[in-house]
Amino acid sequence: KNKNNKKTEVQKQVVASLEEAIKKVKELSLATPRKFVESIDMAINLGIDAKQTDQTVKGSILLPHGSGKKVKVVVFTGNDEQKALALETGAIFAGLEDLLAKIEAGFVDFDVAIATPDVMPKISKIARKLGPRGLMPSPKNGTVTNDIKKAISESLKGKVDFKNDKGGTVHCLVGKVSFDEKALLENAQTILKAVRDSKPESSKGKFIKGFYLNSTMGPSVQVISESL
């Protein structure tokens, strides 16, 4: 009933700037209290042909104010010292054959998978399970590395990955509605810059065609800006 009463009000929200969008998303979230703290996400529509592999847009960024999300990290390594370091730094599980067996059995309750380069050939056999969930370690986003401590620390602090979907849209976590507006603005600006910097050379014409912000349960707020 509450949703129906607000349907006309929130059916289409359009604002002129990123600052206004953040303010509006927070207002809409507070107008309908939840039993949990909602996240704020950004959807960026790109002028790319997502069917072309040379126009894929992806990367990773360390949000200046973190994501507000409790991140679960696992580490693939066969080195006992690196296993101990991984667990000490904050990973929930570290190992190789035992971790592979857990994932084969259905374990995917984690957000980030990090691996040392030497074990990547063995991990390839579970790519079919990790790939579709965006959990496959990759050198491009810093999750294939010998610097386990740094990779885990960055993930726990708010490092987020982005990649366009089949429709040419990038979705990325901005933060929580409990963040102040300045923190959310700086996180969002960091995401937009990272996406702009990832423009493929083969992409012609307008790259960022539009973008939207929304809370977990809230409506989208479209940003209309000349800077696009």
Side-chain angles (χ1 to χ4, degrees), residues 75-89 91 93-95 115-119 145-149 152:
V75 175
F76 292 96
T77 179
N79 182 286
D80 289 337
E81 289 185 6
Q82 287 179 319
K83 288 180 188 178
L85 178 60
L87 295 173
E88 181 183 314
T89 307
F93 198 96
T116 52
D118 59 305
V119 302
T145 175
N146 282 314
D147 195 343
I148 295 296
K149 185 174 182 178
I152 296 172

Side-chain angles (χ1 to χ4, degrees), residues 3 9 33 35 40 76 86 103 116 136 141 149 177 189 208:
K3 184 176 180 180
E9 177 188 349
K35 293 182 179 180
I40 294 180
F76 292 96
I103 292 173
T116 52
M136 190 67 183
N141 61 21
K149 185 174 182 178
V177 293
Q189 289 173 331
I208 295 183

Side-chain angles (χ1 to χ4, degrees), residues 3 28-29 32 34 36 38-39 41 214-220:
K3 184 176 180 180
L28 292 170
S29 177
T32 309
R34 310 291 180 187
F36 63 96
E38 292 185 282
S39 295
D41 298 291
N214 69 278
S215 61
T216 306
M217 303 291 287
S220 293

Side-chain angles (χ1 to χ4, degrees), residues 17 41 64 106 136-137 144 162 196:
S17 70
D41 298 291
M136 190 67 183
V144 176
F162 61 86
R196 285 194 182 99

Side-chain angles (χ1 to χ4, degrees), residues 15-18 196 206 208-211 222-228:
V15 297
S17 70
L18 187 53
R196 285 194 182 99
K206 195 171 187 178
I208 295 183
K209 300 172 69 175
F211 64 92
Q222 183 180 3
V223 181
I224 304 296
S225 172
E226 292 299 324
S227 63
L228 297 178

Side-chain angles (χ1 to χ4, degrees), residues 58-135:
K58 62 180 178 179
S60 60
I61 40 178
L62 186 60
L63 297 178
H65 299 280
S67 65
K69 179 181 179 181
K70 185 175 181 180
V71 180
K72 297 179 182 178
V73 180
V74 298
V75 175
F76 292 96
T77 179
N79 182 286
D80 289 337
E81 289 185 6
Q82 287 179 319
K83 288 180 188 178
L85 178 60
L87 295 173
E88 181 183 314
T89 307
I92 62 170
F93 198 96
L96 185 55
E97 297 298 343
D98 49 352
L99 182 52
L100 290 171
K102 278 174 68 70
I103 292 173
E104 286 280 18
F107 171 63
V108 288
D109 186 20
F110 53 91
D111 307 293
V112 179
I114 297 169
T116 52
D118 59 305
V119 302
M120 285 303 293
K122 290 191 174 183
I123 298 176
S124 61
K125 67 181 182 181
I126 57 169
R128 67 187 184 281
K129 290 183 177 291
L130 300 185
R133 295 179 171 84
L135 296 173

